[in-house]
Amino acid sequence: MWNKLRVLTLLPLAVTIIIVGITPVASDEDLEQFAVYSKAVSDIKFVVVTDFTQPEIEERVWHMEESDAEVDIYYIADGSRLIKYEDSSGDQITLTAPGEFTQITGFSQVNDTTILLVDSLNHCLKWFDVPSSSTSLAAGSCNSSGHVDGELLTTRFSTPRQVTRNNQDGSLYLSDSGNNAIRLLAGELASTMITLDDSPHGIYYDNRHKQLYVTTTSRFIRINPATNIVTPLIESTTVGFKDGGLNWAQMNSPFEIKKIARYVILVADTLNNRLRVVNTRADTVSSICSSDDEDLTSIDKCNLYQPLSLMRYKSGAVLIGGNSSEMKLLNYVLDRPTPVPFPKPPMKPMKPPTTTSKLLHVIICSQRVTWSV
């Protein structure tokens, strides 16, 4: 049922960004002329840009994805609408019919023509066929909530939020917010993978390292799908705002998640009006567009208002959307120090064998071979 997507190859982290209305940039210095805000966090420099052609948003941006089938196209979940937006021309088309959805909070492209949409307030998932703009029920029962596992059309959800895809086997993970559960959709069945103490919101599967990341009302956690072991990354269960160590940092209704490097994860911290940078190697949390920064004029221009969605371009830049008609573009450059080569050990002369005869036993393809030397 779940057709496989082709796996996208991520580009190196040091990126060159090309966006509408901005000259292609080739260096860190070039980025600065377009920046309204910049900040260095650990070994990454973040630059926020606002002057670029943007789609017209009516409600709020819950989720965005670049098209897997078409170049220069991305899809946007804008409240009850699914929008197809062409980046180079600025043209946009509303794909869904009025009244067809109540609130689309997430989606996943399952092949080149079909998108699975999460109709959150209707408690169901729907197929959307892009060429024909037609919809059909995929899972759950629209307008009927509950917590029932089983066949997709008889299962029940309660305010599902987002869905993320395992590209290897085509299965999907769903944050079932009203049931405090992570649900697994595989084949023709839906099952409860794990039940949490809090409502899950954003969900992101790291296909490379086979880890699942989830945001809840106050926490940010990692789940190993093979064992269902939960590792708290933000350990505090208290809603609030604190930067610093993972053991005492706080968030307030964080939503979408994007991993941009092996140890660096971005989280849209919605009610704190910030983008958080979680470094799992340094065990720290920092903020982008934070009022704690020194340059308050720059902060006013950055002005993240209830960020919800994070879309990582194939080029590497991150588009930020939320409860506002204005989006922000985040460029980042990894400041890698020049590696210091390890000294080579001196060559040692080979020692002649000390015995004239020994038996060597080699196992080759499960067969034992013996010979004398």
Side-chain angles (χ1 to χ4, degrees):
M1 181 176 181
W2 314 102
N3 297 317
K4 290 191 176 181
L5 287 171
R6 57 181 182 274
V7 180
L8 301 177
T9 302
L10 298 182
L11 297 181
L13 193 59
V15 295
T16 298
I17 308 302
I18 303 175
I19 54 179
V20 178
I22 298 179
T23 305
V25 296
S27 67
D28 191 37
E29 291 74 17
D30 290 333
L31 279 174
E32 289 293 345
Q33 64 178 307
F34 307 112
V36 295
Y37 170 91
S38 62
K39 181 178 182 178
V41 178
S42 299
D43 55 354
I44 299 180
K45 182 171 186 179
F46 293 94
V47 177
V48 176
V49 175
T50 58
D51 185 15
F52 62 99
T53 304
Q54 302 188 25
E56 296 178 5
I57 303 302
E58 292 183 357
E59 297 181 40
R60 66 193 66 177
V61 181
W62 286 99
H63 184 64
M64 301 176 286
E65 283 185 17
E66 274 193 291
S67 170
D68 291 327
E70 300 177 84
V71 178
D72 199 38
I73 297 292
Y74 62 92
Y75 298 104
I76 306 167
D78 173 20
S80 60
R81 304 188 304 162
L82 179 67
I83 297 171
K84 181 180 180 180
Y85 183 76
E86 185 175 353
D87 220 358
S88 59
S89 66
D91 293 339
Q92 71 181 55
I93 302 171
T94 300
L95 299 176
T96 51
E100 199 168 16
F101 294 86
T102 303
Q103 189 178 78
I104 304 171
T105 55
F107 59 84
S108 178
Q109 300 170 73
V110 297
N111 57 39
D112 288 349
T113 61
T114 307
I115 303 174
L116 181 68
L117 300 175
V118 180
D119 195 358
S120 182
L121 298 184
N122 276 334
H123 315 292
C124 60
L125 311 181
K126 295 179 181 178
W127 296 120
F128 183 81
D129 182 72
V130 176
S132 65
S133 294
S134 61
T135 62
S136 59
L137 182 63
S141 176
C142 297
N143 300 313
S144 178
S145 65
H147 190 169
V148 179
D149 288 332
E151 295 182 0
L152 294 179
L153 297 183
T154 60
T155 191
R156 295 291 182 271
F157 309 114
S158 179
T159 322
R161 285 300 190 187
Q162 292 212 306
V163 64
T164 186
R165 184 181 178 84
N166 180 334
N167 289 337
Q168 184 175 1
D169 61 14
S171 60
L172 293 150
Y173 301 100
L174 176 74
S175 56
D176 191 359
S177 183
N179 287 319
N180 290 2
I182 303 300
R183 310 289 290 274
L184 173 65
L185 282 64
E188 299 292 334
L189 299 175
S191 60
T192 300
M193 174 181 161
I194 192 169
T195 301
L196 303 171
D197 296 329
D198 200 359
S199 298
H201 297 158
I203 189 167
Y204 170 78
Y205 183 69
D206 178 4
N207 277 282
R208 183 175 182 182
H209 299 103
K210 298 178 174 56
Q211 297 291 311
L212 191 64
Y213 294 89
V214 178
T215 55
T216 70
T217 303
S218 63
R219 304 176 76 193
F220 178 41
I221 63 177
R222 180 175 61 219
I223 303 173
N224 183 341
T227 61
N228 283 0
I229 293 176
V230 177
T231 303
L233 296 178
I234 299 294
E235 298 180 18
S236 174
T237 57
T238 303
V239 169
F241 170 74
K242 285 182 182 177
D243 276 337
L246 294 180
N247 58 340
W248 70 293
Q250 293 178 341
M251 294 185 177
N252 191 352
S253 296
F255 203 69
E256 280 207 335
I257 308 149
K258 281 293 174 291
K259 194 171 185 180
I260 61 172
R262 183 171 183 180
Y263 301 102
V264 182
I265 307 165
L266 302 180
V267 180
D269 192 0
T270 306
L271 295 188
N272 277 325
N273 300 313
R274 289 172 170 89
L275 184 65
R276 311 297 289 277
V277 183
V278 180
N279 189 317
T280 57
R281 180 168 55 184
D283 290 338
T284 59
V285 180
S286 306
S287 295
I288 300 295
C289 299
S290 169
S291 57
D292 298 333
D293 293 336
E294 295 178 0
D295 188 354
L296 295 181
T297 303
S298 176
I299 293 299
D300 290 339
K301 292 179 180 178
C302 187
N303 188 28
L304 290 179
Y305 178 63
Q306 295 185 359
L308 288 164
S309 57
L310 303 172
M311 184 186 81
R312 188 178 188 273
Y313 282 95
K314 296 180 182 73
S315 62
V318 176
L319 192 60
I320 309 168
N323 200 8
S324 169
S325 60
E326 184 183 26
M327 295 183 180
K328 304 292 191 299
L329 188 71
L330 180 74
N331 303 284
Y332 55 93
V333 177
L334 183 62
D335 184 18
R336 290 189 176 93
T338 303
V340 178
F342 288 101
K344 293 182 178 180
M347 293 290 291
K348 294 183 179 180
M350 292 182 64
K351 294 183 179 180
T354 56
T355 59
T356 58
S357 178
K358 65 170 64 174
L359 290 179
L360 300 179
H361 303 277
V362 180
I363 305 301
I364 302 176
C365 299
S366 301
Q367 294 181 0
R368 180 164 176 160
V369 180
T370 305
W371 72 89
S372 295
V373 177

